[in-house]
Amino acid sequence: MDVHVRSDSRVTRHDSVLPNPKATPRGTRPMNKTKKHNATSSELSRWSHLPPELLDQIFALLSPSDRHRFRLICTPWRGVAKQSIPPFPLPFEPPRLLLSRSDNALSFFDLFNSKSLSYSLPDPHRRAHCFGYLAGWFFLVSDQNPSRACLFNPALVAEIPLPDLEFPIKKAILSAPPGFPNCVVAVMGRSTSSALCELAGKRWQVLDLGHDGQRFFDDIIFWRNQLCGIVNYGIVNRLRGYVNRGNVLICNFDMESRRSSLYTVQLPSQWKYSEFYLVESTGGDLLAVIKNHHKFWVYKLDQWCTTWELMEQIGDQALFLGEIRSESVPVNRFLGSGLRENSIYLTSRKFARPFGVAVVYSMEDEAMTAVPVSGQYSVLAEPVWVSPVIWP
């Protein structure tokens, strides 16, 4: 994509973006072979001395794959890329399914092209388990030491150590990608309350959800800088299931004072033996998705955060749900990919035959069908939806 700079410093995009070190500058004579090396070095030197303000504008217009190439041009360009963190991730493909294999390798499976890419984490993360993902960063827990956790970015080969975990976890989420101000990590315990930690923090701050520690979460999400969770009181009745499930707790937590304010929004009905998921819609609304047997219900929190509205259809978006990660995707950005609008993609290692590890549910037809997943994978680790995103 050629980049043309006008006198008013505006940048317009065309077909190609990165300078070609082998290209001849316009208006110059053809060079002979003896001068080719010196001329190429001189041209690269001119590109490397472009004003940082201009490079920052160029970088903001690039696709994620071009941003990765941008970083490889020269040291000044790489410095601009590191400082120009975009305000939100830019997925360039629909989410892929991260699967663990029996040989401790990972497999990224593309549902829409039926292709699988194998990848092995470097030591000492080769045998680690993934409990969360955001913008290229994986929340990993050591297999040999279940209390040892870190954030790891395979593309950047970067690691951020975290304080030792105080209890077994089921899921981990980030309020923002590392590098953003006030980035907070939250973990959800398997049968205990949740905890928060800043990236520079030395210990986890356990949330006090009341009810003498008998209240915990079925799912959590960061929404509008607040931690939201589906509440489970832990009271089990053999005939009625979990009788106190279905409340959504919204928590404002101050990391400095360690104080939190809580308020609850009751879902319309109590559900027996149901699965609950929280996800943010493409329009920024908080959605609560309930799966009961082979049917899904989607509720949207109203603008006053007081009641839930049942959504018969979810429109031009697809929801990707899972025990570890959920997200919404605008289908119109991926025309021709095979991604189905007004649909819910769900992954779980607990599906009974013949569904495998992934299904798709049509909100219009109210029908659930299996999504074929080829290749070898282990059912001992929970599948994770990941978006192919490259960050500087």
Side-chain angles (χ1 to χ4, degrees):
M1 162 170 99
D2 296 327
V3 178
H4 300 282
V5 183
R6 302 174 182 175
S7 59
D8 57 358
S9 299
R10 296 178 182 176
V11 181
T12 56
R13 299 179 59 183
H14 295 285
D15 295 327
S16 171
V17 69
L18 300 179
N20 183 359
K22 298 182 180 180
T24 301
R26 296 179 181 178
T28 60
R29 298 179 180 179
M31 65 187 74
N32 56 40
K33 295 183 179 180
T34 58
K35 297 182 179 180
K36 183 177 180 179
H37 176 74
N38 293 334
T40 301
S41 300
S42 176
E43 182 185 353
L44 286 176
S45 177
R46 290 197 296 270
W47 281 107
S48 65
H49 285 84
L50 288 175
E53 296 80 7
L54 175 60
L55 292 175
D56 187 69
Q57 294 182 51
I58 296 173
F59 183 82
L61 298 174
L62 303 184
S63 66
S65 56
D66 279 338
R67 286 178 178 176
H68 180 64
R69 299 187 184 99
F70 185 101
R71 298 175 64 252
L72 304 178
I73 296 299
C74 58
T75 300
W77 287 41
R78 185 160 52 252
V80 169
K82 290 182 178 180
Q83 296 179 1
S84 302
I85 300 178
F88 50 84
L90 299 174
F92 58 93
E93 291 181 10
R96 294 182 179 180
L97 198 57
L98 175 65
L99 301 168
S100 297
R101 301 187 345 189
S102 56
D103 59 356
N104 298 322
L106 299 176
S107 176
F108 295 91
F109 184 76
D110 184 350
L111 274 65
F112 308 100
N113 295 313
S114 298
K115 295 182 179 180
S116 182
L117 174 65
S118 297
Y119 176 78
S120 294
L121 291 172
D123 290 330
H125 308 298
R126 189 177 302 275
R127 298 180 61 87
H129 294 285
C130 177
F131 286 92
Y133 171 87
L134 179 66
W137 290 89
F138 293 85
F139 186 101
L140 301 178
V141 176
S142 171
D143 180 61
Q144 298 179 349
N145 185 357
S147 65
R148 187 65 53 84
C150 72
L151 295 175
F152 182 73
N153 190 314
L156 303 179
V157 196
E159 177 181 350
I160 301 177
L162 296 172
D164 286 351
L165 299 171
E166 301 178 6
F167 46 79
I169 68 169
K170 181 180 179 180
K171 178 178 181 177
I173 58 175
L174 285 82
S175 62
F180 277 63
N182 303 320
C183 176
V184 176
V185 185
V187 293
M188 181 179 73
R190 293 186 179 276
S191 58
T192 58
S193 60
S194 300
L196 299 172
C197 178
E198 294 177 318
L199 291 187
K202 297 182 179 180
R203 61 185 298 269
W204 294 94
Q205 307 293 336
V206 178
L207 285 175
D208 182 8
L209 303 179
H211 289 262
D212 298 326
Q214 296 298 314
R215 185 163 66 173
F216 53 94
F217 289 137
D218 279 334
D219 194 16
I220 56 175
I221 184 177
F222 276 113
W223 179 69
R224 295 183 180 177
N225 297 321
Q226 302 171 111
L227 180 66
C228 306
I230 294 280
V231 176
N232 185 332
Y233 286 90
I235 303 175
V236 180
N237 183 292
R238 292 184 179 180
L239 297 179
R240 299 178 60 194
Y242 288 88
V243 299
N244 284 291
R245 300 173 74 184
N247 295 327
V248 174
L249 190 69
I250 300 179
C251 171
N252 288 300
F253 188 81
D254 189 342
M255 295 296 294
E256 294 183 1
S257 64
R258 301 183 184 180
R259 294 181 179 179
S260 59
S261 59
L262 309 174
Y263 67 94
T264 302
V265 186
Q266 175 71 47
L267 282 170
S269 302
Q270 297 287 352
W271 300 86
K272 298 186 300 182
Y273 307 107
S274 300
E275 300 175 21
F276 297 85
Y277 303 93
L278 291 175
V279 62
E280 184 175 351
S281 72
T282 55
D285 297 311
L286 180 62
L287 305 182
V289 184
I290 301 173
K291 176 182 177 293
N292 195 316
H293 299 293
H294 294 170
K295 187 173 181 179
F296 290 77
W297 290 263
V298 180
Y299 292 93
K300 179 179 71 173
L301 188 63
D302 68 0
Q303 59 179 332
W304 298 280
C305 298
T306 56
T307 59
W308 294 93
E309 303 172 354
L310 178 64
M311 300 180 65
E312 299 291 344
Q313 311 292 328
I314 58 176
D316 185 25
Q317 65 178 326
L319 304 182
F320 287 79
L321 308 179
E323 289 194 13
I324 292 182
R325 185 171 183 267
S326 300
E327 69 171 308
S328 60
V329 173
V331 177
N332 56 6
R333 293 188 182 181
F334 308 103
L335 298 178
S337 66
L339 185 62
R340 296 168 54 177
E341 66 179 6
N342 198 29
S343 298
I344 298 174
Y345 292 83
L346 176 65
T347 182
S348 174
R349 63 186 178 91
K350 301 176 182 178
F351 282 137
R353 293 182 179 181
F355 291 113
V357 295
V359 298
V360 57
Y361 177 83
S362 171
M363 293 288 293
E364 182 177 359
D365 302 333
E366 297 185 357
M368 187 171 72
T369 57
V371 177
V373 177
S374 60
Q376 298 180 352
Y377 55 87
S378 172
V379 296
L380 300 178
E382 195 67 39
V384 184
W385 296 114
V386 297
S387 298
V389 178
I390 298 175
W391 288 76

